Amino acid sequence: MTMEFDLVPAGLARAIEELPLVDHHTHGAVARDLSRTAFEEMISESDRPVPGWTTPFDSQLGFAVLRHCAPVLGLDPFCAPEEYLARRARLGADEVNRLLLGAAGLGHLLVETGYRGEELLGPSGMAQACGAPADEVVRLESVAEQVAATGCAAGAFAGRFAEALGERTRTARGLKSVAAYRCGLDFDPAPPSRTEVAEAAGRWLDGGGGRLSDPVLVRHLIWEGLELGLPLQFHAGFGDPDLDLRRADPLLLRGLIELAEPTGVPLLLLHCYPYQRHAGFLAQAYPNVFFDVGLGVNYTGARSAALVAESLEVVPFAKLLYSSDAWGPAELHHLGSVLWRRAMARVLGGFVADGEWSVAQAVRVATMVGVENARRVYGLG
Amino acid sequence: MTMEFDLVPAGLARAIEELPLVDHHTHGAVARDLSRTAFEEMISESDRPVPGWTTPFDSQLGFAVLRHCAPVLGLDPFCAPEEYLARRARLGADEVNRLLLGAAGLGHLLVETGYRGEELLGPSGMAQACGAPADEVVRLESVAEQVAATGCAAGAFAGRFAEALGERTRTARGLKSVAAYRCGLDFDPAPPSRTEVAEAAGRWLDGGGGRLSDPVLVRHLIWEGLELGLPLQFHAGFGDPDLDLRRADPLLLRGLIELAEPTGVPLLLLHCYPYQRHAGFLAQAYPNVFFDVGLGVNYTGARSAALVAESLEVVPFAKLLYSSDAWGPAELHHLGSVLWRRAMARVLGGFVADGEWSVAQAVRVATMVGVENARRVYGLG
Amino acid sequence: MTMEFDLVPAGLARAIEELPLVDHHTHGAVARDLSRTAFEEMISESDRPVPGWTTPFDSQLGFAVLRHCAPVLGLDPFCAPEEYLARRARLGADEVNRLLLGAAGLGHLLVETGYRGEELLGPSGMAQACGAPADEVVRLESVAEQVAATGCAAGAFAGRFAEALGERTRTARGLKSVAAYRCGLDFDPAPPSRTEVAEAAGRWLDGGGGRLSDPVLVRHLIWEGLELGLPLQFHAGFGDPDLDLRRADPLLLRGLIELAEPTGVPLLLLHCYPYQRHAGFLAQAYPNVFFDVGLGVNYTGARSAALVAESLEVVPFAKLLYSSDAWGPAELHHLGSVLWRRAMARVLGGFVADGEWSVAQAVRVATMVGVENARRVYGLG
């Protein structure tokens, strides 16, 4: 992971390289071997195919895998996809995970387990593979869907959900809402009444439960989460085609942010691409708002410095965090770390080269964003 | 058109310079001599005047004309507008077109003929002037307006339009919709019923036809186009004041994209400025979406590398194309090519200089975006 | 304020450094000494606290104060906030203002007096401190609120307001609307009827007057302003949490811009962050639209060149202006000037280094944007 940038002061580059990053929103790595098809599906946010004359490797993320992960597996950078996949298969999933996760330089992980978590390493598996403590972030909608799956009367839903959430979060460090996917962020921000919740639960459970997308229930889950007091993460911006990007603009959360301000619960806006400037405005305006550019860093590869730069405009430096939002191949956990470090070195090194910041300021901000801010928000000690 | 960039590897710069670009969305060049006023009106998207103390040359596009076209006409770069226009007048339109179009380095042109096409060179004239094959792209709304102009009963409109479209597209390579101008992209995406179409046609024809802007008819044209199966272009983003830029955001096409997905018809989002990141998201999410940053490249001149860079973030590299959207002065056809090549050399050269891409990868992506992707989408062989 | 940039031609850097800037939208500097808390509140747009483990100095604006203002007060750049505030306190407000305002290099100021103007230096105080003429810009809503405060019957409001506005603007150079804060820019653009105005005034005055936010009255003020014929400024984009950023997008003003076009009154969109590209589109499309990136330059500090660059894309160069939007500490007036000059030198110097612009073109555009355009729009002679 050694970086060589002509314009970046050596002390800054080294300090950033050595940061024990807190990845405040990630998922598990897959523990099983992956076919070419399976691997390629996991380096795209789309569930649809690319044109037949190309492969998912023909993208910024694909190029970044070949550039930065190939050397970790003992290959030349920029090798062919076939060569990369053959080496990956020969080494086997355990060794690939050990190499890529071990070289990510993580100090702490917060692992969100709510999306197909049974196919992936859980927090303890990730802790072992990364050599760093890992705690859990619980997805609100998954808890509710599990309650529905066990059979539940409409009138009992609210109580059963509260109980299940209390149980599931006994050792968790945070909560997550995927309202952006389920109903869009333009929902009515006020907490729904007991009657509204019971009615909506009735409609949902009568329909057999399953994917929870009723805005009344989505809001109820959020307000139950706020009650609990754990930091609450929101998916915002870029994601899979399931999402209407227009309705994933974090500015749509303004009403909820203002209503939730008295609770003192930190709200963490995840990813936000291409709305990172909107997120910066919110983080500047409201004391309870924090954000990251997680997923977008991996997906923009050689362009990720542009996102990181845009995230460092109006935000107070204590309000920005690091995440990878990796899910599945350990390449994504590794790249999140490598690309973020390279982007921060370029952007902050540029401020220094321009005569605008001192090296000491740059090191301090990198440490805040990569490590300290998350430790404070989540109370990681 | 020789480029000299300190940071761009010579092999990459040369490869990009020599690409036989496919301009997948352009219009004809004017064949007649132009007065100063006429020329200046054609280097602005606005139909309104600039302040009296300035001229349309005081813009990125104006500066780019003086920088890149003046040498082609035998003048120093950065000459005065008066000098440029005098030389242009002395050479005459034919010679100006021969020089500027001949030096654009085009391999194939798709010429959209639906906007004041009678004032411009048609596909065969453009082919001759550019020394490259040229095919036609047919504007849906123009075909419908021609049907109305010949006299047509409301009940016969749908049939007459289908017939005319079939006739007009016998040798065409693509279709174009200007829904963004006519009713905004936030139209109901579903195909309208026969009754709705007949009623809307009645209202329109009773009013004397003319400019077609009824959303029901605009949608009908789009669905007739999808039926036909030719690649379908949509104006999106930047254009003239006729357009509400908020309603030209390509994200508004999400509903139509999903409904049209089963047809397999490629949808090509044109220009998209300043929404190029939104277009990249759509191209990543949906197999039937492609896009370019055409018109914006000319209009942002010295800043066009920024647009090109933003277009290369989350898009699969097989989903991005080149276009000039030139209309009128051959300067626009020439600049589209020159500015795109310079921007690609700077952006991809930057990825190489940063150690993120190999030269071979950069050459391959430039070739895909400039030539191959369009050849495949339009079946140009 | 000497700038040293390797890539910027010396002649361009010097020309930009020596421009007698017209700050076409600023406020007064505070004349009294400021406590640490008071100072820190004034270098944030938020009225809420930052996390307890940090201070408002941990931001781009805070870093810019330490980098660029500390040397003006005789300290090393990048000193500690405590050291800076101690020196500031020792020098006293008068001397601090003399040093920072005197070194801003201003040629003319337009001072908006409508927000807590009584706590600040007025136009004549600013003229003296800056050594340059200063004229007033009158905030429409403040005039209306003063009319209400003196007691006014609903039916008399329109007349009383017109009278007060005429009185207050006898020597003013411009008007300002804060519709973005009061009702959002998505208001009905048409002038309200006399009856509507009287009814809305009745509701407002019956409620005791105070903060005017009724959209009917906000529109009435705007149309009265247009009638008067003075250039009319609109806050757009970035501001304090009072504002819904989604409803501060300048594209929302399209309807008003078109209705106001026949009046010939220049409309000046202020700040616009992060919507500077939207503002550029409007300035390109409509002859009556001008804009700046004022407030955003200070708040993005080391990143301000990115904003300036984005503002120079499709705008005709005669349509862009300079402002600081400084309010309170003289640091903001000083930084507005220093950061804008550095940003322009970097951006235009980059165009020259790229071989896209000549030095003469760059000097000319910097002079237009920094000085000439405002002189012409406001008739400053």
Side-chain angles (χ1 to χ4, degrees):
Chain A
M1 215 165 55
T2 304
M3 294 181 286
E4 309 217 7
F5 303 118
D6 290 352
L7 289 171
V8 182
L12 174 60
R14 198 164 43 243
I16 292 176
E17 235 176 296
E18 291 172 359
L19 287 176
L21 285 186
V22 178
D23 188 344
H24 89 106
H25 180 82
T26 187
H27 303 266
V30 276
R32 72 178 197 282
D33 290 330
L34 296 170
S35 69
R36 173 161 190 162
T37 305
F39 183 85
E40 289 186 343
E41 280 172 7
M42 289 178 182
I43 60 167
S44 167
E45 279 293 299
S46 184
D47 53 356
R48 273 88 153 177
V50 291
W53 70 84
T54 185
T55 89
F57 276 100
D58 285 329
S59 64
Q60 289 283 10
L61 175 54
F63 279 22
V65 168
L66 302 176
R67 165 65 185 88
H68 294 294
C69 300
V72 179
L73 304 194
L75 298 168
D76 287 337
F78 313 123
C79 65
E82 294 70 26
E83 197 181 348
Y84 184 81
L85 292 164
R87 168 67 62 110
R88 197 181 200 287
R90 194 159 60 247
L91 291 172
D94 283 355
E95 178 66 2
V96 165
N97 286 350
R98 195 186 64 77
L99 290 169
L100 290 169
L101 298 176
L106 300 181
H108 208 116
L109 294 86
L110 298 184
V111 182
E112 204 258 85
T113 52
Y115 181 62
R116 296 165 57 189
E118 61 289 357
E119 304 175 30
L120 307 171
L121 292 177
S124 67
M126 288 299 289
Q128 198 169 4
C130 295
D135 290 301
E136 189 174 2
V137 168
V138 171
R139 188 185 285 211
L140 292 167
E141 293 82 0
S142 303
V143 174
E145 286 161 4
Q146 283 154 4
V147 166
T150 60
C152 172
F157 171 74
R160 289 278 306 282
F161 173 73
E163 196 182 349
L165 188 63
E167 183 67 29
R168 284 282 284 108
T169 55
R170 271 191 298 180
T171 60
R173 294 287 189 172
L175 299 171
K176 159 96 176 283
S177 164
V178 290
Y181 281 106
R182 300 304 176 85
C183 60
L185 297 180
D186 49 349
F187 54 82
D188 173 358
S193 71
R194 277 167 176 279
T195 316
E196 288 173 299
V197 172
E199 283 170 7
R203 285 192 302 273
W204 179 48
L205 296 167
D206 288 353
R211 183 181 163 89
L212 183 154
S213 60
D214 183 299
V216 170
L217 295 179
V218 168
R219 287 157 57 203
H220 173 67
L221 271 48
I222 290 169
W223 280 101
E224 285 291 300
L226 288 169
E227 190 97 347
L228 209 64
L230 286 173
L232 178 50
Q233 303 176 344
F234 282 88
H235 182 102
F238 186 66
D240 68 52
D242 197 16
L243 171 138
D244 183 348
L245 192 59
R246 282 170 63 78
R247 302 179 63 198
D249 182 342
L251 287 181
L252 292 166
L253 287 174
R254 181 180 188 248
L256 182 74
I257 290 166
E258 296 199 339
L259 288 177
E261 196 178 335
T263 68
V265 172
L267 307 180
L268 299 115
L269 312 176
L270 307 175
H271 327 316
C272 302
Y273 179 86
Y275 304 117
Q276 50 274 3
R277 285 169 162 170
H278 296 188
F281 168 78
L282 293 172
Q284 201 264 168
Y286 299 104
N288 51 333
V289 175
F290 298 75
F291 80 105
D292 70 44
V293 286
L295 184 63
V297 169
N298 268 350
Y299 275 87
T300 59
R303 276 287 294 169
S304 50
L307 269 68
V308 165
E310 290 177 23
S311 76
L312 282 162
E313 290 173 354
V314 301
V315 68
F317 299 136
K319 311 294 278 306
L320 189 62
L321 281 76
Y322 165 73
S323 86
S324 67
D325 196 30
W327 188 97
E331 280 82 354
L332 300 179
H333 304 81
H334 186 79
L335 281 177
S337 163
V338 171
L339 291 173
W340 182 86
R341 291 178 206 263
R342 292 173 73 89
M344 286 292 277
R346 282 205 186 96
V347 173
L348 303 189
F351 295 162
V352 172
D354 284 347
E356 301 289 347
W357 286 26
S358 69
V359 171
Q361 287 175 324
V363 170
R364 183 156 158 269
V365 170
T367 309
M368 290 172 77
V369 177
V371 181
E372 291 304 323
N373 295 339
R375 292 204 166 276
R376 289 178 184 274
V377 168
Y378 293 96
L380 302 180
Chain B
M1 214 164 52
T2 305
M3 294 181 287
E4 309 216 8
F5 304 118
D6 290 351
L7 290 170
V8 182
L12 174 60
R14 199 165 42 244
I16 292 177
E17 233 177 297
E18 291 170 358
L19 287 176
L21 286 186
V22 178
D23 189 344
H24 89 108
H25 180 82
T26 187
H27 303 267
V30 275
R32 71 178 198 283
D33 291 329
L34 296 170
S35 68
R36 171 160 192 163
T37 304
F39 183 84
E40 289 185 342
E41 279 172 8
M42 289 179 183
I43 60 166
S44 166
E45 278 294 298
S46 185
D47 53 355
R48 275 87 154 179
V50 291
W53 69 83
T54 186
T55 89
F57 275 100
D58 285 328
S59 63
Q60 289 283 9
L61 175 54
F63 279 22
V65 167
L66 301 176
R67 165 65 185 88
H68 295 293
C69 299
V72 179
L73 304 193
L75 298 167
D76 287 337
F78 313 122
C79 66
E82 294 69 26
E83 198 181 348
Y84 184 82
L85 291 164
R87 168 67 62 109
R88 198 182 199 287
R90 192 159 61 247
L91 292 171
D94 283 355
E95 179 65 2
V96 165
N97 287 349
R98 195 187 63 77
L99 290 169
L100 290 169
L101 298 177
L106 300 180
H108 207 117
L109 293 86
L110 298 184
V111 182
E112 202 259 84
T113 51
Y115 181 62
R116 297 165 57 190
E118 61 288 357
E119 304 174 30
L120 307 171
L121 293 177
S124 67
M126 288 300 288
Q128 198 169 4
C130 296
D135 289 301
E136 189 174 3
V137 168
V138 171
R139 187 184 288 210
L140 291 167
E141 292 82 1
S142 302
V143 175
E145 287 161 3
Q146 283 153 6
V147 167
T150 61
C152 172
F157 171 73
R160 288 279 305 283
F161 172 72
E163 195 182 349
L165 188 63
E167 184 67 30
R168 285 282 284 107
T169 55
R170 272 191 297 179
T171 61
R173 294 287 188 172
L175 299 172
K176 159 96 176 280
S177 164
V178 289
Y181 281 107
R182 299 304 175 84
C183 61
L185 297 180
D186 49 350
F187 54 83
D188 172 0
S193 71
R194 278 168 175 279
T195 315
E196 288 174 300
V197 172
E199 284 170 7
R203 287 192 301 272
W204 178 49
L205 296 166
D206 287 353
R211 181 182 164 87
L212 183 155
S213 60
D214 183 300
V216 170
L217 296 179
V218 168
R219 287 158 55 203
H220 173 66
L221 271 49
I222 290 169
W223 280 100
E224 285 292 300
L226 288 168
E227 191 97 346
L228 209 63
L230 285 172
L232 178 50
Q233 304 176 344
F234 282 89
H235 181 102
F238 186 66
D240 68 52
D242 199 15
L243 171 138
D244 183 346
L245 192 59
R246 281 170 63 79
R247 301 179 65 196
D249 182 342
L251 288 181
L252 293 165
L253 287 174
R254 181 179 188 248
L256 183 73
I257 290 166
E258 297 198 340
L259 288 178
E261 197 178 335
T263 68
V265 173
L267 307 180
L268 299 114
L269 312 176
L270 306 175
H271 327 315
C272 302
Y273 179 86
Y275 304 116
Q276 50 274 3
R277 285 170 162 170
H278 296 189
F281 168 78
L282 293 172
Q284 199 265 166
Y286 298 105
N288 50 335
V289 175
F290 298 75
F291 80 104
D292 71 42
V293 286
L295 184 63
V297 168
N298 268 351
Y299 274 87
T300 59
R303 276 286 295 169
S304 49
L307 269 68
V308 165
E310 290 177 23
S311 76
L312 283 163
E313 289 174 355
V314 300
V315 69
F317 300 137
K319 311 294 279 306
L320 189 62
L321 281 75
Y322 165 74
S323 87
S324 68
D325 196 30
W327 188 98
E331 280 81 354
L332 300 179
H333 303 80
H334 186 78
L335 281 176
S337 163
V338 171
L339 291 172
W340 182 87
R341 291 179 206 262
R342 293 174 71 91
M344 286 293 277
R346 282 206 186 94
V347 172
L348 304 189
F351 296 162
V352 173
D354 285 346
E356 302 289 346
W357 286 27
S358 70
V359 171
Q361 286 175 325
V363 170
R364 182 156 159 270
V365 171
T367 309
M368 290 172 78
V369 177
V371 181
E372 291 304 323
N373 294 340
R375 292 205 167 275
R376 289 178 184 273
V377 169
Y378 293 96
L380 303 180
Chain C
M1 215 163 52
T2 305
M3 294 181 287
E4 309 218 6
F5 303 117
D6 290 351
L7 290 170
V8 182
L12 174 60
R14 198 164 43 243
I16 292 177
E17 234 176 295
E18 292 172 357
L19 287 175
L21 286 186
V22 178
D23 188 343
H24 89 108
H25 180 81
T26 188
H27 303 267
V30 276
R32 71 177 198 282
D33 291 329
L34 295 171
S35 68
R36 173 160 191 164
T37 305
F39 184 84
E40 289 186 341
E41 279 171 7
M42 289 177 183
I43 61 167
S44 167
E45 278 294 298
S46 184
D47 53 356
R48 273 87 153 178
V50 290
W53 69 83
T54 184
T55 90
F57 275 99
D58 285 328
S59 64
Q60 290 283 9
L61 175 54
F63 279 22
V65 167
L66 301 176
R67 166 64 184 91
H68 294 293
C69 300
V72 179
L73 304 194
L75 298 168
D76 287 337
F78 313 122
C79 65
E82 295 68 27
E83 197 181 347
Y84 185 82
L85 292 165
R87 169 67 62 110
R88 197 182 200 285
R90 194 160 59 247
L91 291 170
D94 284 354
E95 179 66 2
V96 165
N97 287 349
R98 195 186 65 76
L99 289 169
L100 290 168
L101 298 176
L106 301 180
H108 207 117
L109 294 85
L110 299 183
V111 182
E112 202 258 86
T113 51
Y115 181 63
R116 297 166 55 191
E118 61 288 359
E119 304 174 30
L120 307 172
L121 292 177
S124 68
M126 288 300 288
Q128 199 170 3
C130 296
D135 289 301
E136 189 174 2
V137 168
V138 171
R139 186 185 287 211
L140 292 166
E141 292 82 0
S142 303
V143 174
E145 287 161 3
Q146 283 153 7
V147 167
T150 61
C152 173
F157 171 73
R160 288 279 304 284
F161 172 74
E163 196 182 350
L165 188 63
E167 184 67 28
R168 285 283 283 108
T169 55
R170 272 190 299 179
T171 60
R173 294 287 188 172
L175 299 172
K176 159 97 177 280
S177 164
V178 289
Y181 280 106
R182 301 305 176 84
C183 62
L185 298 180
D186 49 349
F187 55 83
D188 172 358
S193 71
R194 278 167 176 279
T195 315
E196 288 173 299
V197 172
E199 283 170 7
R203 286 192 301 272
W204 178 49
L205 296 167
D206 288 352
R211 183 182 163 88
L212 182 155
S213 61
D214 183 299
V216 171
L217 296 179
V218 168
R219 287 157 58 201
H220 173 67
L221 271 48
I222 290 168
W223 280 100
E224 286 292 300
L226 288 168
E227 190 96 347
L228 209 64
L230 285 173
L232 178 51
Q233 305 176 343
F234 282 88
H235 181 102
F238 186 66
D240 68 53
D242 198 15
L243 170 140
D244 183 348
L245 191 59
R246 282 171 62 78
R247 302 178 63 196
D249 182 342
L251 287 181
L252 292 166
L253 287 174
R254 181 180 189 246
L256 182 73
I257 290 166
E258 297 198 339
L259 288 177
E261 197 179 336
T263 68
V265 173
L267 307 180
L268 299 115
L269 312 176
L270 307 175
H271 327 315
C272 302
Y273 179 86
Y275 304 116
Q276 50 274 3
R277 285 169 161 170
H278 297 189
F281 168 79
L282 294 171
Q284 199 266 166
Y286 298 105
N288 51 333
V289 175
F290 299 75
F291 80 104
D292 70 45
V293 285
L295 183 62
V297 168
N298 269 350
Y299 275 87
T300 59
R303 275 287 294 169
S304 50
L307 269 67
V308 165
E310 290 178 23
S311 77
L312 282 162
E313 289 174 355
V314 301
V315 68
F317 300 136
K319 311 294 278 307
L320 189 62
L321 281 76
Y322 165 74
S323 85
S324 67
D325 196 30
W327 188 97
E331 279 82 354
L332 301 179
H333 303 79
H334 186 79
L335 282 177
S337 163
V338 171
L339 291 173
W340 181 87
R341 291 178 205 262
R342 292 173 73 89
M344 287 292 278
R346 282 205 186 95
V347 173
L348 304 189
F351 296 162
V352 173
D354 285 346
E356 301 289 347
W357 285 27
S358 69
V359 171
Q361 287 174 324
V363 170
R364 183 157 157 269
V365 171
T367 308
M368 290 172 78
V369 177
V371 181
E372 290 305 321
N373 295 339
R375 292 203 167 277
R376 289 178 184 273
V377 168
Y378 293 96
L380 303 180

